[in-house]
Amino acid sequence: MSLSLGIFLAIAQDVMSDTTCDRNWFGTKCEFACHCYLGTCNSEGQCLDSSELCQDGWFGDLCQYKDVAHEATVDAQFVNDNNPSTCVDLNSVGIKLKVPLFFTFLAIVLNFNKQITIFKVNFILSDSGKAPCQDMKNTTSGETIVVTCNNTQLVREVIIDWTEKRSICSIYVNGGRNLALKQKTRTSSIHRPDHAISRPQTAVDGSKSRSEKDNASCAMTSIQDPRPSWTLTFDEPYVIKLVVITNIKDHWKQMRGFKVDFFNEFQQNIFKYIDDPNSRIDTDELIIQVNVTDDLIKKINISIPSKRRPEQALYICEFEAFGDCVFPSFGLQCEDICNYHCKDLACHVTGECFSCDEGFTGVYCEQDLSPSTSGPSTLMLDETYTEAPYKLLVNNNINKLLTILFAVFAVVILLEVTGLAHLRFKSRRDSGTLTSDERLLRGHQLMELTPQDSPSLSSGLPPVPFPSMVNSRHTISS
């Protein structure tokens, strides 16, 4: 019984784990922060306010994508104000990014009162060169057009040109998702200032609040540590393009000569950043562009391999790693795969296909246009469904499996409890330790039996004593 009950409780706890998150956190491990406009989300990350807008600097699926256009310099008013109700007629717009990045996709919100025409996307690179959007794909959802490019160079400016003026309401440029939140961390030592403990997890708690007096708000190593290090390990490998380390400005000098190593799932060092000990970082944030195109990152390690002064230690107030799932996976936990009828198995981060294989149509290429389907069946979606078909299929199967498991465990536990109760009753009856009520109930049950039904009566064996035959003193004492 204990084994079955343990398994049952473990499954129930796992299924209900998403309800135990702190306010404005969600996910199976509470690893996603709410970025809705009013800062209120439900347990699935959906915004509770009617506007369905994200906080400034965020956009996309459940407001999880960093919008680097919000802090960029734009040569047109309103397009980066995160307000889709303010629109302006343009035939060209330039977005000068605050920090160069490896471009992935952008989203354009238009006023559909006017017809959409052909447009082009070009880049000015960090080395001042120019490049067009490589292998450009786009998908449309409502008033939003999503454009993806497959460029590998660092982009400093994004330029969008239309053949004629269009009514542009908002433009968002993807900076990735912060995949470091609530991930596993460890450190070589822990700094304990004034009886406070500076834990390694504070560097991935989503809070950039920091002060000289509140050292516990940052992850810090002990100054006695000869080789201080801090390590983050992702639940699964990701495509990481940008790392931001937030610190107290004066603490950077205590970390001079540090390095950041990036490892794949095979523990191979595939990229590294080495700090120049003779340089000085004059800002709170250090931004590292991760130039890795053919590999995934599983672990990141920050260390001071050779301390120059005894007081050196690691100080990390917040560590952010921006990236996304590896192709063709998508979803917040990269649990879904693009529909196999998406052309080249290519889809957006929401699962929407850019184009379909011949003979298929629909947002997810889920509808078979052939008169008779001889190949694998496809999932048909209704107009109200907004998730990827694979996700619906997987969730339905999981729900069915959990229902069956609950039913099976409920029956097993009921049988075990009933059997155990019967064994206990029989043991107490044979030892003569039944209570008066139990003897009375047993007597009534025997009186209701016929000689054919009762083994004791039909076999000639002496019957079980009735309550009237039981010693009254024994009855009182029991």
Side-chain angles (χ1 to χ4, degrees), residues 176-428:
R177 295 190 290 132
N178 181 15
L179 302 170
L181 282 174
K182 303 294 184 72
Q183 295 294 298
K184 298 176 183 178
T185 59
R186 61 180 177 85
T187 186
S188 57
S189 60
I190 295 178
H191 182 50
R192 291 177 168 82
D194 300 328
H195 305 290
I197 299 178
S198 178
R199 301 185 182 277
Q201 296 91 339
T202 58
V204 292
D205 61 1
S207 174
K208 291 189 175 183
S209 62
R210 55 202 180 276
S211 66
E212 292 283 357
K213 296 181 180 180
D214 185 17
N215 288 325
S217 64
C218 304
M220 303 170 60
T221 59
S222 171
I223 59 175
Q224 283 81 30
D225 191 342
R227 295 179 62 87
S229 66
W230 178 91
T231 304
L232 177 144
T233 303
F234 296 106
D235 289 337
E236 61 181 275
Y238 289 110
V239 177
I240 303 296
K241 293 297 184 182
L242 182 74
V243 163
V244 179
I245 304 175
T246 303
N247 209 338
I248 299 173
K249 186 186 300 185
D250 292 340
H251 281 175
W252 286 117
K253 61 184 179 182
Q254 305 291 344
M255 293 176 55
R256 287 180 181 174
F258 75 95
K259 69 173 183 173
V260 185
D261 293 296
F262 298 78
F263 299 88
N264 62 15
E265 57 186 325
F266 305 107
Q267 300 297 317
Q268 297 172 327
N269 192 327
I270 57 176
F271 184 78
K272 66 175 57 182
Y273 169 88
I274 301 177
D275 175 64
D276 182 358
N278 297 319
S279 64
R280 179 179 174 83
I281 302 175
D282 294 323
T283 61
D284 291 345
E285 292 185 345
L286 171 67
I287 298 175
I288 302 174
Q289 306 286 0
V290 184
N291 188 9
V292 177
T293 57
D294 299 325
D295 216 334
L296 304 178
I297 294 173
K298 175 69 174 178
K299 183 174 70 174
I300 302 176
N301 178 263
I302 304 176
S303 63
I304 303 178
S306 179
K307 292 177 63 171
R308 295 171 176 263
R309 296 185 302 276
E311 67 273 15
Q312 277 193 286
L314 286 179
Y315 297 82
I316 307 171
C317 293
E318 190 64 22
F319 183 91
E320 300 168 287
F322 292 94
D324 214 332
C325 309
V326 59
F327 168 86
S329 302
F330 70 94
L332 292 183
Q333 296 176 322
C334 304
E335 71 275 21
D336 298 314
I337 299 177
C338 300
N339 194 323
Y340 49 78
H341 291 306
C342 293
K343 188 174 182 179
D344 299 326
L345 207 63
C347 67
H348 184 46
V349 295
T350 57
E352 299 175 1
C353 302
F354 296 111
S355 59
C356 302
D357 290 335
E358 185 176 354
F360 290 87
T361 187
V363 175
Y364 307 105
C365 302
E366 75 281 4
Q367 300 176 14
D368 191 349
L369 297 178
S370 60
S372 62
T373 303
S374 59
S377 60
T378 57
L379 181 66
M380 304 301 292
L381 306 179
D382 56 45
E383 294 180 355
T384 62
Y385 188 67
T386 58
E387 291 183 304
Y390 278 4
K391 189 171 185 178
L392 176 63
L393 184 61
V394 170
N395 288 343
N396 285 343
N397 290 337
I398 291 177
N399 290 335
K400 291 179 181 178
L401 178 60
L402 288 177
T403 302
I404 295 173
L405 287 175
F406 272 94
V408 170
F409 279 113
V411 172
V412 170
I413 290 174
L414 180 61
L415 291 175
E416 290 184 348
V417 170
T418 304
L420 183 60
H422 177 72
L423 291 175
R424 288 180 177 175
F425 182 88
K426 183 178 179 181
S427 175
R428 294 175 61 193

Side-chain angles (χ1 to χ4, degrees), residues 80-101:
N80 67 336
D81 63 354
N82 191 32
N83 186 353
S85 64
T86 56
C87 307
V88 58
D89 290 341
L90 299 170
N91 58 7
S92 179
V93 60
I95 305 171
K96 296 180 180 179
L97 304 177
K98 182 179 179 181
V99 176
L101 57 73

